[in-house]
Amino acid sequence: MSVSNVVEGIDQIQFEHVRVFVLKDMPSDGQITLVDTAFDENGEELVETLREEYGTVDRVILTHGDHGHHGGLAHVVDAFDPELAMPADESKLYEHFEEAGLDIEPDVAYEDGDVLDGNIRVIQVPGHTEATSALLLQDRDLLISGDVLDGADRGGLPAGYLLPPPALFNDNHRDAELNLYNLLDYDFDTLLVFHGSHVFEDPKGKLDNYLVEREWNEWDPRNN
């Protein structure tokens, strides 16, 4: 496990298979927002690290229902009692809570297009899961992927480019690609991912180029 700064005001806590993001002075000065909570087995170490590095957590935003993104939530809730924001329509997430016997309800159940405190716009890209959500920090043109996209080097390709998650991990791989067009309606010049390397140079242009190569598909919306 390691802690490092990614860009001004945003740190990452890296575990073996996944990372989480810490947004400092968010939603307001002196407050800490944690984006996702890693696996359950990472929970105790995550809490210890958050206490040592930041003192507390004021808000948790969950991006979707995979265990590697919400598994440590119970540990964080017990330690800090933060406000919780998570997708309203992510049934996988609620089912996992029920299976684990967790009596956890969100303070904010967000939907596509909602703007969370701190001017964070939710952009949902269904396909990886039912309501996988990317988070756009609109004041900074910075997008946190939420498993909507991975760094291409996760799949053995050069760093600095983007791919959807591998088909093995997607509920519907076709939708996971098709719905990436939702991102092109917004401006972002930095893209932070949970798997692989972040993209700091023209991520929107690279995503657009990737989707252009899919134009031969009859389901491409630019052909309809």
Side-chain angles (χ1 to χ4, degrees):
M1 191 278 301
S2 63
V3 181
S4 60
N5 179 248
V6 184
V7 295
E8 183 179 356
I10 301 179
D11 293 348
Q12 67 180 24
I13 303 175
Q14 179 71 55
F15 296 96
E16 183 176 3
H17 298 295
V18 72
R19 61 181 62 114
V20 302
F21 294 104
V22 177
L23 313 184
K24 294 179 281 189
D25 295 321
M26 180 66 71
S28 58
D29 289 349
Q31 293 190 314
I32 296 293
T33 290
L34 175 68
V35 181
D36 289 344
T37 62
F39 288 97
D40 176 61
E41 55 263 36
N42 304 130
E44 291 185 6
E45 188 174 20
L46 175 60
V47 166
E48 181 180 347
T49 301
L50 291 167
R51 278 203 179 109
E52 290 178 354
E53 297 288 336
Y54 311 102
T56 190
V57 173
D58 299 284
R59 176 176 62 173
V60 173
I61 303 175
L62 298 182
T63 61
H64 64 292
D66 282 348
H67 282 294
H69 292 259
H70 71 78
L73 179 64
H75 299 273
V76 175
V77 169
D78 287 346
F80 305 112
D81 192 27
E83 176 184 284
L84 173 61
M86 64 190 219
D89 299 326
E90 182 78 323
S91 57
K92 184 177 184 179
L93 189 53
Y94 294 89
E95 288 167 4
H96 285 173
F97 287 174
E98 184 176 355
E99 291 167 3
L102 298 177
D103 184 19
I104 295 177
E105 293 290 337
D107 299 287
V108 177
Y110 62 73
E111 299 179 346
D112 182 44
D114 286 352
V115 178
L116 307 178
D117 287 350
N119 202 21
I120 299 175
R121 181 173 293 276
V122 175
I123 310 171
Q124 293 191 330
V125 181
H128 176 61
T129 66
E130 182 180 9
T132 302
S133 301
L135 305 175
L136 178 63
L137 279 62
Q138 297 187 122
D139 294 339
R140 303 184 59 175
D141 291 340
L142 183 150
L143 188 70
I144 297 175
S145 71
D147 276 8
V148 167
L149 289 161
D150 291 340
D153 54 331
R154 183 191 191 186
L157 298 174
Y161 295 87
L162 298 159
L163 288 174
L168 174 67
F169 300 130
N170 295 329
D171 290 347
N172 185 318
H173 188 66
R174 175 182 178 277
D175 286 350
E177 283 199 331
L178 174 61
N179 290 325
L180 287 170
Y181 285 99
N182 298 353
L183 298 175
L184 296 182
D185 291 333
Y186 302 92
D187 291 326
F188 51 93
D189 54 29
T190 300
L191 199 152
L192 306 184
V193 296
F194 286 88
H195 309 281
S197 296
H198 308 308
V199 178
F200 299 103
E201 295 185 9
D202 194 24
K204 183 176 178 179
K206 290 172 179 175
L207 174 60
D208 191 35
N209 289 340
Y210 172 82
L211 292 172
V212 163
E213 297 303 317
R214 266 68 185 149
E215 285 193 346
W216 56 267
N217 287 298
E218 63 181 11
W219 48 267
D220 189 314
R222 286 184 284 197
N223 290 335
N224 295 328

